[in-house]
Amino acid sequence: MMRHSLYFALFAALLVSCGKTFTAPTKEGVELTYHITDNTEKICEVSTGDPKRAAVSAEDYHGPLTIPSSADDYYVDAIGEGAFRGFSGMTSVTIPASVTTLGAHAFEGCKGLKEVVVHSRVQTFGEGVFASCTQLQKAKFRCPLPRIPDRLFDGCKQLEAFDIPDEATAIGDYAFKDCAALQGVVLPSGMRTIGIEAFMGCSSLREVVLPEGLTSIGDGAFQGCDNLEAIHIPASVTSIGARAFHHCSHLTSITVDPKNPVYDSRDGCNALMEKESNMLLQACSKTQIPSTAKTIGDEAFAYCSGIERVSLPSGVISLGNLAFSFCPNLRAVYFPSSLTTIGECPFAGCNQLSSIDIHSENPAFDSHSQCNAVIETHTNTLLYGCRTTTIPSVVKKIGSKAFAACPGLTAIHLHEGVKSIGEEAFAGCTNLKEVRLPSTLASIGLMAFLNCKALTTVEVRTRTPLNIGEGVFQGCPKDCLFVPKGKRDVYLATPGWMEFQRIEER
């Protein structure tokens, strides 16, 4: 019994000793906290032992910081998780050669940090070590780095360059996300995978060379790289995630190695096509839709600033969500008789769109009397319109998001016979000033006029106020509501309508 008691006493003493912390100053006089990780071998790390509490106590210090290789006779082997998180006074940091581990978020949010050098003995990196160091300009890594860690430089807006080590085979998720000053990336020949949103928002990135041997590109990997001009997909790439090259507004060239088994850019179309499905996945400003295309993918043409006119070839059967969204110069679209499926908000944010034409023999959709809208034939629902839409008399419903994000729309007068307005039908129509609602209207969907910031006048002809859901007029000025004669008091007492500053009879 005595023997067991002695054993547990020694074990408890060891746990206590390993959990101890102490403080010691750097050569600059900054007090750091050290956490003992091995009392027998005299090893410690720069940390408090609690990832939520930083290891630095200086509040007013501003300047370079040198982390010592030893403190109080203990060998400094690691920078712990969150050790310097949010320490904005540090302008540069020297990490000693004794350190082998950089914990997760170790220097995250050090907004004054401009330069960092990582020595050769570092073997282990946590997630987001230098994330959100918004002034970081130079980072030199002298250590082997087979994989660029997740979120390594996420949000480092001033980072202009980083030499990816030759031995690196993978770039982690969000590794360079929002590195807005990064201009060029050279990927080593051994690179195999690029993670999710790895370079998303690198708006200064002009050139990326993808090496032969690369096999996968993650979701949104290069999304929002506004200045990226050309991309070539090597034969080895067999997996490209959703939105990998979306919102690259200056992209003018997309090519694929002819030996690629999954993708192609057939007939010099300047687009990324999926062979098996004949789906156009990614377009650019110089894309010519090939005659063999069957489907236009989600956001395929989104943010293509050079697109002015689109004529879908006969044979295209499906158009994806937001397919032509935010194309600032798109003026006209033509849909063939083969098109039977249209996704949500295909023209959202297309300020200049003024012509929507559908082949007269299309069985699913029409554009009555050049109304410049997409109407679902069997339900008489106006699915999508533009700034020049004239709503024809056959229309009974305004579909969900039918005019969403259409800033060119200034007024909407719905004719007698329209029975419903779908959810978010006019949401984000920032220049819509006047709305007239007919007496036949039976329902208005949630957030139908959300953020119509110029909407000052609404006229409603229903004598009994409609029960409107939350947020129908959210974000609108709600200056004046005109109602039928004798109905002012009832509108004043009805939720949703009573929010208008002035209610008058007309």
Side-chain angles (χ1 to χ4, degrees), residues 252-263:
T252 57
S253 174
I254 302 174
T255 56
V256 181
D257 190 296
K259 296 179 181 178
N260 190 296
V262 179
Y263 307 103

Side-chain angles (χ1 to χ4, degrees), residues 291-373:
S291 60
T292 51
K294 297 296 182 186
T295 302
I296 308 299
D298 292 348
E299 301 181 61
F301 284 83
Y303 292 89
C304 288
S305 57
I307 297 291
E308 295 184 5
R309 303 180 68 85
V310 171
S311 179
L312 298 185
S314 179
V316 172
I317 60 174
S318 176
L319 186 65
N321 297 329
L322 298 161
F324 297 99
S325 58
F326 302 99
C327 292
N329 294 303
L330 182 63
R331 289 171 168 78
V333 294
Y334 169 78
F335 293 160
S337 60
S338 56
L339 187 71
T340 56
T341 302
I342 300 177
E344 285 193 353
C345 303
F347 318 117
C350 295
N351 301 354
Q352 301 301 315
L353 183 63
S354 58
S355 174
I356 300 174
D357 189 20
I358 301 174
H359 193 284
S360 60
E361 296 180 6
N362 189 298
F365 311 110
D366 61 55
S367 51
H368 279 280
S369 305
Q370 297 180 326
C371 65
N372 290 320

Side-chain angles (χ1 to χ4, degrees), residues 174-399:
Y174 320 104
F176 296 92
K177 183 180 177 181
D178 291 329
C179 290
L182 195 65
Q183 295 185 7
V185 173
V186 178
L187 302 180
S189 59
M191 185 62 62
R192 295 294 177 264
T193 62
I194 298 174
I196 296 170
E197 298 182 16
F199 295 95
M200 181 179 179
C202 293
S203 54
S204 296
L205 193 62
R206 293 184 177 276
E207 183 179 8
V208 174
V209 178
L210 304 179
E212 184 61 46
L214 184 72
T215 60
S216 68
I217 301 171
D219 291 358
F222 295 94
Q223 183 174 336
C225 293
D226 293 338
N227 282 294
L228 189 63
E229 297 176 351
I231 196 74
H232 176 74
I233 308 298
S236 55
V237 173
T238 56
S239 175
I240 300 177
R243 305 178 305 280
F245 301 100
H246 283 183
H247 304 184
C248 296
S249 58
H250 286 83
L251 194 62
T252 57
S253 174
I254 302 174
T255 56
V256 181
D257 190 296
K259 296 179 181 178
N260 190 296
V262 179
Y263 307 103
D264 66 41
S265 52
R266 63 194 70 171
D267 306 322
C269 64
N270 268 318
L272 178 65
M273 300 287 300
E274 186 179 61
K275 286 184 175 181
E276 184 176 358
S277 64
N278 288 312
M279 178 186 290
L280 192 154
L281 299 172
Q282 179 64 56
C284 69
S285 292
K286 292 188 177 181
T287 291
Q288 296 293 323
I289 303 172
S291 60
T292 51
K294 297 296 182 186
T295 302
I296 308 299
D298 292 348
E299 301 181 61
F301 284 83
Y303 292 89
C304 288
S305 57
I307 297 291
E308 295 184 5
R309 303 180 68 85
V310 171
S311 179
L312 298 185
S314 179
V316 172
I317 60 174
S318 176
L319 186 65
N321 297 329
L322 298 161
F324 297 99
S325 58
F326 302 99
C327 292
N329 294 303
L330 182 63
R331 289 171 168 78
V333 294
Y334 169 78
F335 293 160
S337 60
S338 56
L339 187 71
T340 56
T341 302
I342 300 177
E344 285 193 353
C345 303
F347 318 117
C350 295
N351 301 354
Q352 301 301 315
L353 183 63
S354 58
S355 174
I356 300 174
D357 189 20
I358 301 174
H359 193 284
S360 60
E361 296 180 6
N362 189 298
F365 311 110
D366 61 55
S367 51
H368 279 280
S369 305
Q370 297 180 326
C371 65
N372 290 320
V374 178
I375 298 169
E376 188 176 52
T377 306
H378 77 281
T379 63
N380 288 321
T381 299
L382 192 152
L383 296 179
Y384 302 110
C386 65
R387 64 188 178 92
T388 59
T389 292
T390 302
I391 301 175
S393 59
V394 298
V395 169
K396 302 300 180 186
K397 301 177 182 178
I398 306 298

Side-chain angles (χ1 to χ4, degrees), residues 405-409 426-433 450-455:
C406 182
L409 196 66
F426 299 93
C429 293
T430 52
N431 292 303
L432 183 62
K433 298 177 181 179
L450 177 69
N451 290 335
C452 292
K453 299 178 186 288
L455 183 57

Side-chain angles (χ1 to χ4, degrees), residues 106-129:
F107 297 93
E108 183 177 3
C110 293
K111 296 183 178 180
L113 187 61
K114 296 182 179 180
E115 185 174 356
V116 64
V117 176
V118 179
H119 291 287
S120 60
R121 290 191 72 242
V122 176
Q123 300 174 358
T124 304
F125 283 82
E127 177 181 318
V129 173

